[in-house]
Amino acid sequence: MCVVKDTNRINAIDRAFNALGGVETWIKPGDRVLLKVNAAFALPPALCATTHPDLVYEISSRCLKAGAERVVVTDNPINDPLSCFSLTGIAKAAESAGAKVILPKEGLFKPMSIQQGVLIRNWPVLYAPFVNINKVIGVAPVKDHHRSGASMSLKNWYGLLGGRRNIFHQQIHDIIKELAMMIRPTLVILDGIFTMIGNGPTGGSLSDLKETNTLIVSSDPVAADAFGARLLQKEAEDLLFIQKAEAAGAGKSDYRSLKLKQI
Amino acid sequence: MKIVTARRISQIFFLTVFLWTCIVSTLGDSWWQLRGWPVKWIIELDPLVGLGTFLTTHTVYRGLLWGLAVIVLTLVLGRFFCGWICPFGTLHQAIGYLGRRNLKTSEQINLNRFNPRQSLKYWILIFLLSASAADIINFITGLSVRDPRAPWTAAALGCILAILLLSIFTRNERTGGTLPFIVVCLSGFLFSFLSEPTPLLQSSLQTGLLDPIPLMYRSVNLIWVPLMDIFFKQTAPIPRYYEGTWIIGAIFLALLFINLKIPRFYCRYICPLGALLGLLSRNSVWRIGKTDAGCASCLMCERDCEGGCAPSSRIIISECVLCFNCTDACHTREILYQMRPSASGETLVPEFSRRSFLISMLSGISIIPIIRTNGFLATNWNPNMIRPPGALPEKDFISRCIKCGHCMRVCPTNVIQPAAFQGGIEGIWSPILNFRIGTSGCRHTCIACGHLCPTGAIRPLSIDERMGMKFYLDQGPIRIGTAFIDRGRCFPWGMDKPCIVCQENCPVSPKAIFTRIYFSELRNASPVMVSGADSNRIYLKGSPLVPGQLNTGDYFCTFKKGIDLEPRRIISNSADQIVISSKTPWKFLPDAGNEIQLLIRLQQPYVDIEKCIGCGICEHECPVSGKRAIRVTAENESRSETKTLTPRRQERTI
């Protein structure tokens, strides 16, 4: 895990990968990579409610340069999917890097269950983009979230659910835990260059943002979120989903115990 | 090149342009999407749209001046629009041809005979235009003599009078009482400068119901584009739905298939645009006619006559759609497009008596006041009628909307729907928002619909105006309605379940939906008693709990009696133990025998009506998926002064 202090996303991701030995540490020639972005809202990138297109471009092109056979970028956003992918700049960034955007069309979902899952039982999941994929990278911004406390890399997997997934809000921490059990990512990139400290997860105004100049690259999404919580002036113990995900074996919340590089 | 070939090329060209405008009315930045393509042009060419909105608003909306060009050309050339441009006419012609191609020539000729009932379309035209005419009457009668517009209006009326008089006297036609009638009508107008407009007269633009261009746009945009997309998935990745399309589709198909029995049934009997152009073409400079009354009367000219205008005998000029099939079929070249009247005589319009005119005019003028006694435009307005952002106040809106469906086609989230009777009978097929359909409410950063509206019923907004930024800061964002929470259906309000999906998705900053915390006591079969405790753990008497039932993070506990009664968050529980968060240990350990109060922490949503813009994303996302627990109705919409919820006066912006 690497935590970079920087004001610029491109510099930050560059420095983080250099410190970790390049994206080649994880991505080998011939790999098929899926980039799970947060494209939830049809808002411009400056409002930081969605994954920044600079990161999409940088990560996709680095994976392809490392020899990945293909990179697909997907999400099942809350707002109109076409508007989301175009207005957030994610579609353009992905395509110019040579990655393929997969919109959540009907027919790409498949009812799935997870072992020991209580909520994800026979529930439609955005499945088709994962076919033949062997590496999954999650890229998410750090955002305030009134119901769960925070929306970061674990909450980002929510965008893989289909159907009327909003009923899971009744048990928000449990659904995030089950998603953490379902997706074991190769890598997560948590973008706290700006943090949405209020009015989340939609934001909508620059005044909802705070410059926190932090970017986290981690193979452990629980650790990444535990660190990210600090950007929201919270502790990992305040966010029950982190504890639940940890108890389910999805990672370690004590990021200090990991090989942590802070640069 | 033969002239019929030129006509077919023109028809294919305009049909292609029509279909192309349907496809490219897609938001996006590909070359085949909305990239400055003239998507409104075909509607703008339709003079009935321009004339109708002129009558209802006494103004002409920008591009609709194209219709003037068609009018002028019709005065010179005749109904070229019907035969050469109208895409609906092209479809009728093609299907009519398929229907009769295997018939005997004599049967074909029979199908294309003139039928006196073709005058029906003039009834329809006069009816629809009269329903639109009240505004112009009120406008003229409302002008004072000192108003600077009065001389111009008088001059315009004088010109119309002169043209009418001229046209009556230059043609050998039975004038009867027509002249006195027109003189009485127009002098009535002129005198009415002195009188007051009457509130009884009200106009409504209903030409769009039967005007072929809006009719075809509505049918193609709302049915055929989404249906084709099931295969091609080009214009939208997720299927688009439109309410009540069965009737739009049924009308469209019925009108097309009836051509198999009666060629160009719609053009000959129904089309109000054809009727308008027919009236304009009666005195056209060029017209179809015979050069020699004594031709062989082979009737070949009537075999493919599209208009059913009887070119072989006494041609009815207003029915001729300039298909040129007659000139093409005449072997002896005795039928021509010429400046002289036909050698075998001509009739300018089908029999349409003054009495017929009066009946359709009076019913048209009176139908709108009759409809409006239902109070839909007054206190009986329908709160479920939510108009798109930028829609004019309802009365002005209904004076402009031609129900073409452009706004519904372009809406990226598919929330704009054709109304059934939500807007009253006048508002049928006009755009209303249904947040249950579509991909997510009305996007508050989107201004597409107003920019595609050909008549300005929906104003083209800028993003700044829509969102209330910069110059529009004082005015605030455009509101299309207000969200109301139905507490009986809402999870945190009515069912002790956490949720607040609506708050999370509210897109405005700061959010219009906010929450207040309420601790609600759990329904318990039996009381839960303390047997012992340490700082963050309680041991229970017996095994009253199901393991894990309180570990979602939303459950809290406190005690029925004691000093430290602040609720503590439960982290987990087993059958006989409750673990609370280590960050908030008990200050005083509870005594054995104290009863535990189990609580669920609920964030209950509220709507701030000063902030809510009515975008409906909350309604769309509400997990109560049938009748939503939060619903938008039209209260507080910006376009209306009478629906406000706050005493603060809003500046009227239109």
Side-chain angles (χ1 to χ4, degrees), chain B residues 313-576:
Chain B
S313 53
R314 207 179 153 82
I315 184 168
I316 299 119
I317 295 296
S318 70
E319 302 304 291
C320 172
V321 297
L322 293 188
C323 67
F324 289 97
N325 285 340
C326 52
T327 61
D328 193 50
C330 183
H331 301 302
T332 51
R333 300 266 166 246
E334 278 171 284
I335 191 154
L336 288 176
Y337 188 50
Q338 57 190 4
M339 291 177 77
R340 285 176 298 169
S342 176
S344 55
E346 57 185 26
T347 305
L348 298 186
V349 275
E351 188 63 32
F352 189 69
S353 64
R354 259 176 300 132
R355 185 170 297 173
S356 318
F357 181 86
L358 270 176
I359 291 171
S360 31
M361 185 184 78
L362 289 178
S363 31
I365 285 187
S366 53
I367 187 77
I368 302 305
I370 290 173
I371 290 173
R372 297 220 172 141
T373 52
N374 68 4
F376 253 53
L377 284 177
T379 49
N380 192 27
W381 57 274
N382 180 0
N384 290 321
M385 186 183 69
I386 298 156
R387 294 290 189 198
L392 301 184
E394 187 59 19
K395 197 167 181 300
D396 302 332
F397 181 85
I398 214 74
S399 294
R400 286 183 178 272
C401 178
I402 52 166
K403 315 160 195 290
C404 65
H406 267 48
C407 50
M408 308 169 201
R409 169 70 190 84
V410 75
C411 177
T413 59
N414 190 204
V415 289
I416 308 185
Q417 297 286 324
F421 294 102
Q422 290 94 334
I425 198 158
E426 291 174 75
I428 195 164
W429 299 329
S430 63
I432 58 165
L433 272 60
N434 179 341
F435 299 118
R436 290 186 62 204
I437 295 185
T439 49
S440 78
C442 173
R443 201 175 78 212
H444 73 309
T445 55
C446 174
I447 49 170
C449 48
H451 287 266
L452 256 73
C453 180
T455 62
I458 309 172
R459 234 159 22 98
L461 302 171
S462 64
I463 297 224
D464 285 346
E465 184 176 4
R466 170 99 208 251
M467 298 183 69
M469 302 189 302
K470 297 178 189 165
F471 181 75
Y472 301 94
L473 203 60
D474 293 342
Q475 187 182 304
I478 299 280
R479 299 178 309 273
I480 55 176
T482 305
F484 291 84
I485 294 167
D486 189 340
R487 290 189 179 180
R489 304 181 71 84
C490 174
F491 284 131
W493 278 108
M495 302 168 214
D496 280 357
K497 301 266 184 223
C499 179
I500 64 163
V501 172
C502 53
Q503 184 270 353
E504 178 185 316
N505 284 293
C506 177
V508 299
S509 177
K511 286 181 187 292
I513 302 178
F514 62 99
T515 61
R516 291 195 174 109
I517 289 172
Y518 176 74
F519 287 97
S520 182
E521 192 173 355
L522 249 60
R523 292 182 74 206
N524 276 328
S526 53
V528 181
M529 313 298 276
V530 179
S531 77
D534 54 38
S535 63
N536 66 334
R537 200 174 287 264
I538 314 169
Y539 303 96
L540 311 176
K541 277 190 183 157
S543 305
L545 300 177
V546 179
Q549 77 171 98
L550 302 174
N551 70 1
T552 65
D554 299 308
Y555 291 97
F556 283 67
C557 65
T558 180
F559 303 101
K560 289 266 164 143
K561 53 183 192 281
I563 305 162
D564 182 12
L565 293 182
E566 195 182 319
R568 302 298 206 279
R569 187 188 219 181
I570 298 172
I571 298 297
S572 63
N573 76 289
S574 60
D576 57 358

Side-chain angles (χ1 to χ4, degrees), chain A residues 119 145-150 154-155 158 167-181 234 236-246 248, chain B residues 498 550-556 569-571 601 603:
Chain A
L119 301 173
H145 192 273
H146 205 47
R147 176 78 182 99
S148 65
L154 289 169
K155 174 74 173 58
Y158 203 86
I167 60 164
F168 291 134
H169 266 231
Q170 291 173 39
Q171 281 174 260
I172 193 79
H173 300 291
D174 290 324
I175 187 69
I176 298 175
K177 174 194 77 180
E178 292 198 7
L179 286 164
M181 291 156 68
K234 290 183 177 172
E237 297 87 72
D238 298 331
L239 300 170
L240 196 58
F241 66 84
I242 291 183
Q243 295 167 43
K244 284 181 177 255
E246 185 173 23
Chain B
L550 302 174
N551 70 1
T552 65
D554 299 308
Y555 291 97
F556 283 67
R569 187 188 219 181
I570 298 172
I571 298 297
R601 178 179 175 272
Q603 294 163 303

